[in-house]
């Protein structure tokens, strides 16, 4: 069988059994229900193809006002025509196979109500198809009563085959259009989903921008409030730096003074015998020639003076280079490094403020703290 039993089929079968019970009729079992369902599906597909093919052959198209499965309201219940034109009051019923009385007689009873309203009713059956006697009698009765307003037409089997072929082609076109429509619907849903996702992402970006802007505004407000304190802190820091610069300048001057005093102490401790100008003049006046010792002493004094001048110039160059390097480093240093440098600064004379200690004296045989080896020893060795 073409169907597999599932929950949906079980629900349909339950409704079918309930309907038969309500009508007082016997219901088929599940196997018989499936066979009848498959047969009904095949009959429905053939009937729909025959209807579509015949409607196209006869020019009953939507462009001319014809519609499929048109529903009418009658005192005996609703009547559904295969193809109808409501504006022209025309209804068409197409039968591709057997015409049984269980379905045809209730339809003909409803047709009479539409005939009274002025409808043109056309029935189309296949030549040679089985039609129940009661249906044929009803055809003749309605034809005699309403004449050409109720018309029954027969088509050959070749016409039926052609109509089925055309109907199958129309069905394929309809399925292709439905497939394309579903694809377009899915594409539209996907486009809407992406558009919604992009809108959400744009909203997130705007929210992030607004948050950053709010943070910037709050920081600006805090900055305006804290500006006086920040300016005061920077002023104090600048004052500290200026004070440090002054102290360093004073320290450098003190270092030069110490170096100069050291040089003077050296000259005082190691004097050179330099003759006075008066003695030289006296010597020249009396015509005495300077001794070699005096000439050598004068030369040594001049060389010592030149050496001190070169040392002073070198010391000045070194001090200038050091000051430039320190200033460049201070200019590049951050505020934290400057504060750290200030905390670790030491006065240049700090290394000589405390005189160095002296190592304890060492005696032969140790530090002199041990026992005396000469204890108990006399001069004569006793």
């Amino acid at each position: 069988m073409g169907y597999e039993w599932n929950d949906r089929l079980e629900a349909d079968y339950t409704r079918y059994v309930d309907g038969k019970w309500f009508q007082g009729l016997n219901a088929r079992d599940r196997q018989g229900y499936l066979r009848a369902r498959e047969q009904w599906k095949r009959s429905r597909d053939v009937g729909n193809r025959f209807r579509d093919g015949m409607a196209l052959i006869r020019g009953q198209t939507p462009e001319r006002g014809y519609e499929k499965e048109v529903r009418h309201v009658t005192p005996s219940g609703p009547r559904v025509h295969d193809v109808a034109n409501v504006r022209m009051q025309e209804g068409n019923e197409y039968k591709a196979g057997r015409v049984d009385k269980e379905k045809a007689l209730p339809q003909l009873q409803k047709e009479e109500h539409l005939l009274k309203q002025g409808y043109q009713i056309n029935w189309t059956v296949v030549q040679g198809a089985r039609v129940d006697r009661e249906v044929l009698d009803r055809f003749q009765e309605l034809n005699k009563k309403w004449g050409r307003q109720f018309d029954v037409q027969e088509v050959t089997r070749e016409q039926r085959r052609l109509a089925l072929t055309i109907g199958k082609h129309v069905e394929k076109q309809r399925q292709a259009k439905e497939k394309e429509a579903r694809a377009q619907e899915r594409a539209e849903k996907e486009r809407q989903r992406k558009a919604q996702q992009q809108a959400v992402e744009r909203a997130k970006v705007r929210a992030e921008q607004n948050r950053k802007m709010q943070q910037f505004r709050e920081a600006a407000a805090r900055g305006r409030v804290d500006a006086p304190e920040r300016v005061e802190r920077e002023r104090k820091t600048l004052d500290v730096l200026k004070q440090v610069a002054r102290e360093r300048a004073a320290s450098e001057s003190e270092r030069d003074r110490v170096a100069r005093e050291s040089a003077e102490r050296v000259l005082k401790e190691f004097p050179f015998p330099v003759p006075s100008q008066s003695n030289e003049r006296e010597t020249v006046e009396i015509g005495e020639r300077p001794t070699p010792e005096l000439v050598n002493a004068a030369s040594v004094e001049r060389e010592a003076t030149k050496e001190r001048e070169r040392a002073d110039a070198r010391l000045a160059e070194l001090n200038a280079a050091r000051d430039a390097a320190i200033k460049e480093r201070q200019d590049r240093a951050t505020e934290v490094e400057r504060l750290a440098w200030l905390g670790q600064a030491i006065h240049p004379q700090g290394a000589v403020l405390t005189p160095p200690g002296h190592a304890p004296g060492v005696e032969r045989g140790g530090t002199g703290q041990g026992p005396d080896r000469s204890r108990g020893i006399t001069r004569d060795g006793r």
Side-chain angles (χ1 to χ4, degrees):
M1 288 180 289
Y3 294 98
E4 293 184 0
W5 199 264
N6 51 35
D7 296 340
R8 183 176 180 181
L9 284 176
E10 182 64 27
D12 294 342
Y13 179 73
T14 302
R15 286 194 297 269
Y16 161 75
V17 172
D18 294 342
K20 289 298 183 180
W21 178 86
F22 183 77
Q23 296 175 4
L25 302 176
N26 294 326
R28 297 184 178 92
D29 59 2
R30 287 179 172 79
Q31 297 294 332
Y33 173 77
L34 286 178
R35 286 193 296 268
R37 187 184 180 95
E38 289 183 354
Q39 184 178 359
W40 171 81
K41 183 178 182 301
R42 287 194 298 268
S43 177
R44 184 196 61 182
D45 294 341
V46 172
N48 291 338
R49 291 173 185 173
F50 182 70
R51 175 202 63 196
D52 296 341
M54 291 302 301
L56 191 61
I57 291 173
R58 293 180 178 178
Q60 298 172 352
T61 60
E63 291 77 12
R64 300 181 63 182
Y66 288 90
E67 299 177 1
K68 300 176 183 178
E69 303 295 330
V70 179
R71 183 185 181 90
H72 304 282
V73 179
T74 65
S76 301
R79 173 71 174 101
V80 180
H81 280 138
D82 291 336
V83 179
N85 191 325
V86 179
R87 182 176 59 83
M88 297 177 60
Q89 291 188 335
E90 178 184 349
N92 297 272
E93 183 70 22
Y94 294 100
K95 299 294 185 181
R98 176 184 175 182
V99 183
D100 55 354
K101 60 182 180 180
E102 287 80 7
K103 294 182 179 180
L105 291 179
Q107 291 175 346
L108 293 173
Q109 182 180 359
K110 298 172 185 178
E111 298 286 24
E112 190 170 4
H113 174 75
L114 296 175
L115 289 171
K116 291 178 182 180
Q117 295 181 357
Y119 266 81
Q120 173 66 38
I121 306 299
N122 301 315
W123 278 57
T124 301
V125 297
V126 179
Q127 185 179 10
R130 179 179 175 180
V131 181
D132 291 348
R133 171 53 59 181
E134 292 84 351
V135 177
L136 291 176
D137 294 341
R138 187 62 175 164
F139 282 166
Q140 294 177 1
E141 181 182 353
L142 291 175
N143 185 261
K144 289 179 182 181
K145 184 176 180 179
W146 299 100
R148 296 301 300 266
Q149 190 177 350
F150 179 81
D151 187 21
V152 179
Q153 302 176 4
E154 288 186 349
V155 295
T156 63
R157 291 188 176 275
E158 287 74 11
Q159 291 176 332
R160 175 182 181 271
R161 188 179 303 109
L162 177 62
L164 290 176
T165 302
I166 296 175
K168 187 175 183 179
H169 181 70
V170 172
E171 182 180 2
K172 289 183 178 179
Q173 288 182 343
R174 184 178 66 253
Q175 291 177 354
K177 290 181 180 179
E178 292 176 354
K179 184 178 180 180
E180 183 179 359
R182 290 193 297 269
Q184 292 179 356
E185 184 179 1
R186 289 193 298 269
E188 179 65 19
K189 290 182 179 180
E190 181 66 18
R191 187 190 65 79
Q192 293 178 359
R193 186 188 66 80
K194 290 183 178 180
Q196 185 177 4
Q197 183 178 1
Q198 292 176 358
V200 172
E201 292 178 356
R202 287 194 296 269
K204 290 182 179 179
V205 172
R206 287 195 297 270
E208 182 66 18
Q209 292 177 352
N210 294 335
R211 186 183 65 81
K212 291 182 179 180
M213 182 61 67
Q214 184 64 24
Q215 291 180 351
F216 174 77
R217 291 173 179 174
E218 294 176 355
R222 290 194 301 268
R224 286 191 295 269
V225 174
D226 299 339
E229 298 180 0
R230 185 181 298 107
V231 171
E232 183 65 20
R233 288 196 301 269
E234 292 179 356
R235 187 187 63 78
K236 291 181 179 180
T237 302
L238 183 60
D239 293 342
V240 171
L241 293 177
K242 290 181 178 179
Q243 181 66 23
V244 171
R246 288 192 296 269
E247 292 178 357
R248 289 189 60 81
S251 300
E252 296 298 332
S253 300
E254 184 68 18
R255 179 177 298 177
D256 295 339
R257 185 183 63 78
V258 171
R260 181 175 53 78
E261 292 179 354
S262 299
E264 292 178 354
R265 286 197 301 271
V266 170
L267 292 177
K268 290 179 180 180
E269 293 178 0
F270 303 96
F272 295 95
V274 181
S276 62
Q277 296 180 358
S278 58
N279 294 334
E280 291 180 357
R281 284 196 301 269
E282 293 176 357
T283 303
V284 173
E285 290 177 357
I286 62 178
E288 294 182 357
R289 298 180 61 184
T291 61
E293 290 80 6
L294 295 177
V295 173
N296 292 334
S299 300
V300 171
E301 177 63 20
R302 286 194 297 271
E303 291 297 331
T305 303
K306 293 180 180 179
E307 186 66 25
R308 286 195 301 273
E309 292 176 353
R310 286 194 295 268
D312 294 338
R314 181 59 178 169
L315 180 60
E317 292 177 359
L318 292 177
N319 292 335
R322 183 184 66 253
D323 294 340
I326 292 174
K327 185 176 184 306
E328 181 180 1
R329 183 176 180 184
Q330 289 180 352
D331 293 339
R332 291 199 306 265
T334 61
E335 183 176 354
V336 176
E337 292 178 348
R338 291 174 180 175
L339 295 177
W341 178 77
L342 291 176
Q344 297 178 2
I346 300 176
H347 195 275
Q349 294 182 355
V352 296
L353 292 178
T354 303
H358 297 278
V362 179
E363 297 181 0
R364 184 175 182 181
T367 59
Q369 302 298 329
D372 190 2
R373 296 183 179 180
S374 63
R375 182 177 298 174
I377 302 177
T378 61
R379 289 183 178 271
D380 54 3
R382 290 180 296 178

